Amino acid sequence: MLQQTQLLGQVAIKKLEVIKKMVKISDFNVGQVIKNEFDQINRDLLRSYAKASGDTNPIHTSDAVAERAGLKGIIAHGLFSFGYLSKLFEDLLNQEKDGKVLEIGVEMRGMVRCGDLLITEAVVTKIEGKKVYFDTKQTTITNVDIKKDEEIVKQFEAGERGYISEKDIAQGLVKTKEVDEGTLTYRERVSTPGTAIIELYE
Amino acid sequence: MDPEEVKKNAKFLVENLAGAEIPGSAKVSVRYKTLVSFAKVYGITDPKYVGAEEDGIVACHAFANHFTVKALYKLLLGLKLTQDGKERPFLINTAKLLHAGNKYNWEGCVDVKPGDKLKIRGKWGKVWVVEKNMILFAELLVDVKNQNDELVCNVTTNAAVRPGGY
């Protein structure tokens, strides 16, 4: 049995690469968390997504067009980050042996940008028969700059392009923490809340 | 667009769309190359999704974004309504369209495979207006079937349209 605080995602990766152990309904408990993180959102990746998805709106691939639309720089496609949520469950389940994904729903609340760290999490909220229900959320961490003695020693894209708004500050989304080079200012916000249901075979 | 016209259009759409079928359908041909490119965007390496064509692969779940977005643009942009005896598009200004959320349901569905020809049909679910900002919200209930009339996905899409867009 997995511990309540254990990250099922990590277990799943082990399962796929080494253990090849089946995932069963008895492996789940309410409160367990599955998680993945992705920090390589960049312009090349969004171009690849645009090509693969057929959504070629240039606000996702051209900074000039996005700036003219008042966006200060390109934004990821609304459903781009959904793929990291579905991958979370695809990594967890061998769909022939373990179970299948029944439903995933997302609400698009915040724009995702190049340079963001995207954290995808799913928390088990209910287990009914062979079905496991999750609340999901995708959070973006947007680095702004690093300051030392009030001087900016490193500036990130969000700082250069002014992605952080007064509203973000008013809502308490902009935070600081100490890092090796100084004080890092970053924004943390939930971009995509949602829900998911999977069904196990055993 | 003046506020009275926005109100009038909102009332018309709320009263006439909810529960109505969206005429026509969208078709999407599924290619092996597209499925693999889509999965690779997310770093998927499982051969079930990115293996050789001759071994047989299926679409990763995120591929639902591909056919849903394609179909919705086609169905919504081509949609004509009759208001006060005159024909009008559903969307007067597409720049005012916001995509608010999607729910994909695969219960009882078969996998999407290379060579599939998907047929996508939709109908309106709930339609409402938030009077504070006059944003129109519409729920679209979409079913996606393959060439054998087998269900591959049910999608509920929530779209929002800012005033001036409808």
Side-chain angles (χ1 to χ4, degrees):
Chain A
M1 171 104 45
L2 297 164
Q3 296 299 309
Q4 190 149 339
T5 52
Q6 206 167 2
L7 296 182
L8 273 174
Q10 291 174 0
V11 173
I13 290 163
K14 269 190 189 170
K15 174 183 75 73
L16 290 170
E17 291 174 357
V18 187
I19 302 172
K20 305 280 181 195
K21 177 183 166 268
M22 269 181 81
V23 177
K24 298 178 182 174
I25 192 73
S26 56
D27 291 328
F28 292 87
N29 288 306
V30 170
Q32 278 175 328
V33 180
I34 315 173
K35 186 175 176 179
N36 69 28
E37 292 187 3
F38 186 72
D39 67 354
Q40 298 297 315
I41 300 171
N42 56 44
R43 284 162 175 75
D44 283 345
L45 187 66
L46 295 184
R47 270 193 287 274
S48 300
Y49 181 84
K51 205 173 161 193
S53 70
D55 184 348
T56 52
N57 186 334
I59 60 167
H60 306 302
T61 51
S62 162
D63 283 302
V65 173
E67 282 164 17
R68 283 200 295 276
L71 294 167
K72 298 182 178 174
I74 65 171
I75 58 168
H77 302 70
L79 284 168
F80 167 76
S81 51
F82 172 84
Y84 295 97
L85 181 56
S86 55
K87 186 173 185 287
L88 192 68
F89 296 108
E90 284 163 355
D91 285 346
L92 176 71
L93 299 173
N94 176 324
Q95 301 218 48
E96 271 89 41
K97 293 176 186 165
D98 300 334
K100 56 191 174 184
V101 180
L102 294 186
E103 188 175 287
I104 304 178
V106 290
E107 265 178 56
M108 288 168 276
R109 285 199 193 157
M111 289 183 275
V112 176
R113 303 267 195 179
C114 293
D116 282 355
L117 166 65
L118 182 71
I119 302 168
T120 302
E121 289 172 275
V123 183
V124 177
T125 56
K126 188 170 73 170
I127 300 165
E128 224 172 55
K130 297 275 170 63
K131 289 182 183 174
V132 184
Y133 295 75
F134 298 87
D135 274 350
T136 65
K137 70 173 178 183
Q138 292 186 293
T139 306
T140 50
I141 307 290
T142 306
N143 289 341
V144 181
D145 57 36
I146 298 174
K147 286 188 186 125
K148 193 163 191 177
D149 302 326
E150 312 262 313
E151 294 286 316
I152 293 176
V153 293
K154 188 172 183 180
Q155 194 163 44
F156 298 91
E157 179 171 330
E160 284 164 10
R161 290 183 172 266
Y163 293 158
I164 307 302
S165 67
E166 290 299 319
K167 200 174 158 191
D168 292 330
I169 297 165
Q171 289 178 339
L173 303 176
V174 180
K175 301 168 183 180
T176 58
K177 70 175 177 187
E178 294 308 311
V179 295
D180 289 346
E181 297 152 276
T183 305
L184 169 70
T185 300
Y186 64 99
R187 180 187 61 198
E188 179 177 349
R189 70 172 176 191
V190 175
S191 57
T192 331
T195 57
I197 309 170
I198 61 170
E199 185 173 43
L200 282 297
Y201 299 139
E202 283 187 33
Chain B
M1 190 182 289
D2 78 79
E4 282 312 307
E5 199 178 346
V6 171
K7 267 189 189 173
K8 191 179 119 186
N9 289 351
K11 188 171 181 282
F12 166 76
L13 293 169
V14 169
E15 286 174 358
N16 289 278
L17 292 185
E21 296 277 338
I22 299 173
S25 63
K27 291 184 178 74
V28 173
S29 293
V30 181
R31 293 182 183 162
Y32 166 78
K33 217 173 150 184
T34 314
L35 292 185
V36 172
S37 308
F38 207 91
K40 284 189 172 173
V41 168
Y42 295 104
I44 293 172
T45 53
D46 186 341
K48 176 180 172 156
Y49 305 111
V50 296
E53 189 167 12
E54 56 274 21
D55 294 338
I57 62 163
V58 300
C60 63
H61 291 82
F63 186 72
N65 291 348
H66 171 81
F67 54 72
T68 306
V69 170
K70 246 184 159 175
L72 286 175
Y73 274 102
K74 191 178 173 204
L75 291 173
L76 291 185
L77 296 183
L79 181 60
K80 300 271 189 261
L81 304 163
T82 304
Q83 182 179 2
D84 298 332
K86 288 182 192 163
E87 193 177 78
R88 53 155 286 178
F90 164 63
L91 287 170
I92 289 166
N93 180 353
T94 52
K96 304 273 185 185
L97 174 68
L98 306 167
H99 191 171
N102 263 24
K103 184 184 274 184
Y104 297 106
N105 185 293
W106 293 277
E107 202 157 4
C109 292
V110 299
D111 289 326
V112 173
K113 293 176 183 148
D116 277 356
K117 299 204 180 309
L118 305 179
K119 191 173 183 183
I120 300 145
R121 289 179 176 280
K123 71 174 189 178
W124 299 99
K126 289 179 278 182
V127 181
W128 71 100
V129 169
V130 174
E131 290 198 3
K132 187 175 73 177
N133 50 25
M134 289 308 285
I135 293 180
L136 179 88
F137 286 88
E139 192 180 61
L140 289 120
L141 310 172
V142 177
D143 68 65
V144 187
K145 290 183 176 174
N146 65 17
Q147 63 285 354
N148 303 320
D149 212 31
E150 296 166 309
L151 195 62
V152 302
C153 192
N154 277 312
V155 190
T156 304
T157 290
N158 286 306
V161 191
R162 288 175 286 167
Y166 56 83

